[in-house]
DNA sequence: CCTTGACCTTCCCATGATGGGAAGCCTTAT
DNA sequence: ATAAGGCTTCCCATCATGGGAAGGTCAAGG
């Protein structure tokens, strides 16, 4: 299988397959005499693993560890769960951060007429020297 | 005021102040004879504006527009609101994406014993050939 | 007066994960 | 035989930020 086939079978772009190889996430692919990379079903399986883990938001360094555990028949499931829980915490943190931004912005946007007149609570807030205004009062 | 003062008064690092100047987000600072950048209260005000907008998650290109509108006494508030609403949409999208990841991962983590035994639903899911291999790419 | 330490300057490099594209070689189908 | 398209490597760009080196400047204290 060429890299193009491996790509379409795994959902990982050829560019990324080469990159994963370069950082040691994927084993070095075999080569034809002409230098083309050659992939097996097993490689495609690995790539799909990486793609799924990426879809769940894992960083490549986490995926490196997950791949190691996946291929280790004697792994303790606790090791896997720990990585997953750490990532869940990270997701929770990011979600809360974005939600705080969204809440503040929504309050400001609701207060803004959105017409031809120049007065705008959004700019007033951004430019005010004091505190954020509604963020501390509300919720 | 030196860049260090401007930094501590605005909460923007000196590094970033220079960067914002280099990309034309901030006007070129005046210089002392020795080449030190010089800042006024007004510049600090601008920097605080940028910092607040960053805290709300706006991209620098959005902030460039917001700064333009802020300094334009005749702006229509609709222009500001449009930028804000677009950003709210983006936040909403990202939040939903992260929440979907979190949900999936939580289900998997709940099903994982997290002990010394090797069987692990998380790895089973990541490695299963089943859902979603080569077809639809969503971006 | 000279040293010291804290500041400033510019310039280069790194991040994380990905895409774009050029120059050149290989394969396959017409 | 030639054209199309796939493959190779290499370099560059993103986005916002930090790190650090090499060197100039300023203020205070011996």
């Amino acid at each position: 299988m060429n890299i193009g086939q491996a790509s379409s079978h795994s959902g990982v772009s050829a560019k990324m397959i080469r990159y994963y190889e370069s950082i040691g996430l994927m084993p070095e692919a075999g080569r034809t005499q002409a230098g083309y990379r050659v992939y097996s079903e097993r490689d495609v399986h690995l790539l799909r693993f990486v793609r799924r883990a990426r879809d769940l938001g894992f960083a490549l360094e986490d995926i490196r560890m997950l791949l190691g555990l996946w291929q280790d028949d004697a792994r303790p499931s606790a090791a896997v769960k720990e990585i997953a829980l750490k990532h869940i915490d990270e997701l929770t943190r990011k979600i809360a951060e974005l939600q705080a931004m969204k809440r503040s912005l929504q309050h400001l946007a609701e207060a803004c007429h959105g017409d031809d007149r120049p007065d705008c609570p959004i700019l007033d807030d951004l430019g005010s020297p004091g505190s954020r205004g509604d963020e501390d009062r509300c919720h």
Side-chain angles (χ1 to χ4, degrees), chain A:
Chain A
M1 216 182 319
N2 280 339
I3 199 170
Q5 262 82 58
S7 169
S8 56
H9 289 173
S10 65
V12 178
S13 73
K15 215 88 192 205
M16 280 302 101
I17 296 176
R18 294 192 196 99
Y19 175 63
Y20 294 160
E21 180 182 330
S22 82
I23 63 171
L25 192 64
M26 290 286 296
E28 284 200 19
R31 301 286 183 133
T32 65
Q33 260 186 334
Y36 282 24
R37 286 176 179 80
V38 176
Y39 295 92
S40 64
E41 280 302 329
R42 169 169 171 70
D43 293 320
V44 169
H45 200 178
L46 273 172
L47 286 168
R48 272 202 282 246
F49 183 102
V50 175
R51 166 124 156 67
R52 289 230 201 162
R54 288 292 300 137
D55 286 348
L56 287 173
F58 283 104
L60 292 184
E61 283 316 302
D62 286 342
I63 296 174
R64 191 191 298 275
M65 290 189 289
L66 290 171
L67 271 174
L69 293 167
W70 187 45
Q71 288 163 319
D72 173 7
D73 285 342
R75 78 230 160 199
S77 63
V80 182
K81 191 166 182 174
E82 188 187 347
I83 295 173
L85 291 179
K86 212 190 65 199
H87 185 44
I88 288 173
D89 282 353
E90 187 64 16
L91 288 170
T92 304
R93 211 187 47 71
K94 277 191 198 157
I95 289 167
E97 188 185 333
L98 296 181
Q99 276 172 338
M101 290 176 184
K102 181 176 167 181
R103 236 177 298 124
S104 300
L105 210 44
Q106 259 174 342
H107 292 154
L108 293 172
E110 274 163 27
C112 175
H113 298 304
D115 56 19
D116 285 349
R117 286 170 296 173
D119 61 285
C120 176
I122 302 170
L123 293 181
D124 290 349
D125 180 87
L126 288 170
S128 78
S131 74
R132 175 75 93 252
D134 92 344
E135 180 171 292
D136 40 15
R137 223 186 315 273
C138 173
H139 150 2

